[in-house]
Amino acid sequence: MSSAIPGPDGRLRCPWGLSTADYVAYHDTEWGRPVHGDDALYERLCLEAFQSGLSWITILRRREGFRRAFADFKIAEVAVFTDADAARLLTDESIIRNRAKIEATLANARVLADWAPGELDELIWSYAPDPATRPAPRTLADVPAVTDESTALSKALKKRGLRFIGPTTAYALMQACGLVDDHLADCVARGA
């Protein structure tokens, strides 16, 4: 069931990370690497929410558009976006123009703007499981879509007022931001 396979350079990688050059770069240099900082984690929360129901490559290829549209995901700046900004975003072809996702992105910034500096980072990282309790996945079938930790993280974020962050989205966030290392056991990027 889809174990690590050779990439363009012959080194073994997770199969999902080989379909395009964009994915190879993202897989090798970003996915699964620790992300800290409230704005950086807010960006990832937003992008994972926009990805819901779509392929990640769609989001990855529009990432710069998202950054331009949402003030580089600076919480303090997005928190003061107006109804006119929301209307502008709905016409911005460089992003995914989904009203519910745009509204959640703005609402989440307003909630997070009231948090203490570092509070989002601390909350998210408090749900990182002990790596010693998680064996390295050998195949893609060994990688879960949801865990107890992602379910608890989702509940904690929702309880604090954040939207569009279910357990599956929370787990994708945990994977992307390095809270878990779901690179396959034989993958060159595992533990990097």
Side-chain angles (χ1 to χ4, degrees):
M1 287 285 302
S2 299
S3 57
I5 58 176
D9 58 2
R11 298 185 309 165
L12 294 176
R13 289 183 176 81
C14 302
W16 67 263
L18 292 172
S19 61
T20 69
D22 299 4
Y23 263 160
V24 172
Y26 176 71
H27 169 274
D28 287 4
T29 64
E30 193 171 348
W31 191 77
R33 305 281 171 94
V35 174
H36 286 282
D38 292 343
D39 289 340
L41 288 166
Y42 168 67
E43 175 182 3
R44 297 301 184 83
L45 273 170
C46 296
L47 293 177
E48 293 296 344
F50 273 101
Q51 186 272 329
S52 181
L54 302 171
S55 70
W56 180 247
I57 196 69
T58 302
I59 303 305
L60 191 59
R61 288 182 174 159
R62 293 177 185 228
R63 193 175 197 180
E64 290 310 313
F66 277 110
R67 286 177 172 162
R68 281 189 304 276
F70 290 101
D72 286 323
F73 292 98
K74 292 183 177 107
I75 294 167
E77 292 183 30
V78 178
V80 296
F81 275 24
T82 65
D83 289 343
D85 290 307
R88 171 186 53 83
L89 292 166
L90 285 168
T91 65
D92 189 335
E93 293 182 5
S94 70
I95 66 170
I96 304 302
R97 295 171 291 170
N98 177 295
R99 182 180 305 277
K101 293 175 182 182
I102 290 169
E103 288 174 356
T105 299
L106 303 185
N108 289 346
R110 291 180 191 114
V111 169
L112 293 170
D114 290 334
W115 291 21
E119 193 171 353
L120 178 62
D121 190 303
E122 184 178 332
L123 175 69
I124 288 174
W125 277 91
S126 73
Y127 288 90
D130 179 355
T133 65
R134 294 177 48 92
R138 307 256 354 130
T139 70
L140 293 179
D142 298 330
V143 179
V146 174
T147 63
D148 291 344
E149 294 89 356
S150 75
T151 299
L153 174 58
S154 171
K155 287 179 182 177
L157 291 169
K158 286 179 180 179
K159 185 176 181 180
R160 299 285 306 269
L162 298 184
R163 298 170 21 191
F164 232 100
I165 181 79
T168 303
T169 300
Y171 193 68
L173 173 78
M174 294 172 79
Q175 291 173 303
C177 295
L179 280 76
V180 296
D181 185 354
D182 275 347
H183 285 285
L184 299 182
D186 296 332
C187 177
V188 68
R190 180 153 184 93

